[in-house]
Amino acid sequence: MRRLFFMVGLVAGLYALVSWWRDHRRVGTGFVNRIVNPWLERRGIIGATRDELALVEHVGRTSGIVRRTPIHPIATPEGYRIIVPVGESSQWARNVLAAGHCRLILSDRVVELDEPILRAPADVPGLPLPTRALFGWLGFRYLELHAFGEVPVASVEEYTAEPMPAEAVPA
């Protein structure tokens, strides 16, 4: 009987935690943006992962500042798919959608991407049904991008990009 109460309490607690997180998605993003992301880039972890992690280079919607955000890209026949755990609240995803293009900096190449589309997990082909259901319930989204150019580079650390064009910032 104690085990049953424990299991019910555990499930109820997990449900309450996820429900709270769905209403407060941006909790912790400041820490990740200021501390974790620069640390990953400084330590060279992005380039050492052999394309498991990459940097998406995008232009701020209002500031016009070129920013880099570590992400986990998944190659598709047309380009790349990137999971966006905070969904429509993601500032970098909103920047990419507003600009209409970005750069993906992988360990040995830079890929130019355009035609961004933010999709719900239920609309992404090839995802297993349990993943679609769970990620949809959590509010995750996928950003799909079309690749139109690629330039080889020696390493992420040696890559110094020219600033993205100013016309990427909407007026």
Side-chain angles (χ1 to χ4, degrees):
M1 193 65 159
R2 286 178 120 173
R3 184 176 284 171
L4 176 64
F5 283 133
F6 175 76
M7 292 303 290
V8 169
L10 181 64
V11 169
L14 285 173
Y15 181 81
L17 180 66
V18 169
S19 295
W20 179 86
W21 182 80
R22 289 176 63 192
D23 293 335
H24 304 90
R25 292 173 199 262
R26 301 241 1 122
V27 169
T29 57
F31 172 77
V32 170
N33 292 339
R34 284 189 313 273
I35 307 298
V36 177
N37 291 352
W39 181 81
L40 287 170
E41 197 169 351
R42 264 193 327 271
R43 297 281 186 198
I45 293 172
I46 304 295
T49 62
R50 304 301 304 159
D51 299 348
E52 282 294 317
L53 291 177
L55 293 171
V56 63
E57 188 177 74
H58 52 94
V59 176
R61 294 182 308 285
T62 56
S63 69
I65 297 172
V66 176
R67 301 187 184 279
R68 293 181 178 175
T69 304
I71 49 95
H72 173 67
I74 301 166
T76 64
E78 299 83 28
Y80 287 88
R81 179 182 306 138
I82 304 166
I83 191 162
V84 185
V86 294
E88 292 85 2
S89 299
S90 171
Q91 295 300 313
W92 72 263
R94 291 172 64 187
N95 288 342
V96 171
L97 289 165
H101 64 89
C102 63
R103 289 182 179 146
L104 186 64
I105 306 167
L106 297 156
S107 59
D108 59 350
R109 64 194 181 284
V110 176
V111 181
E112 296 286 340
L113 302 167
D114 64 358
E115 301 176 14
I117 300 171
L118 197 61
R119 296 189 190 276
D123 300 333
V124 176
L127 280 181
L129 185 59
T131 303
R132 287 181 189 198
L134 178 63
F135 283 8
W137 183 62
L138 290 172
F140 288 13
R141 296 291 178 259
Y142 283 92
L143 186 65
E144 293 186 352
L145 297 142
H146 171 260
F148 68 89
E150 189 172 308
V151 177
V153 294
S155 70
V156 171
E157 293 79 21
E158 293 177 19
Y159 170 71
T160 55
E162 295 178 16
M164 295 183 85
E167 63 267 12
V169 180

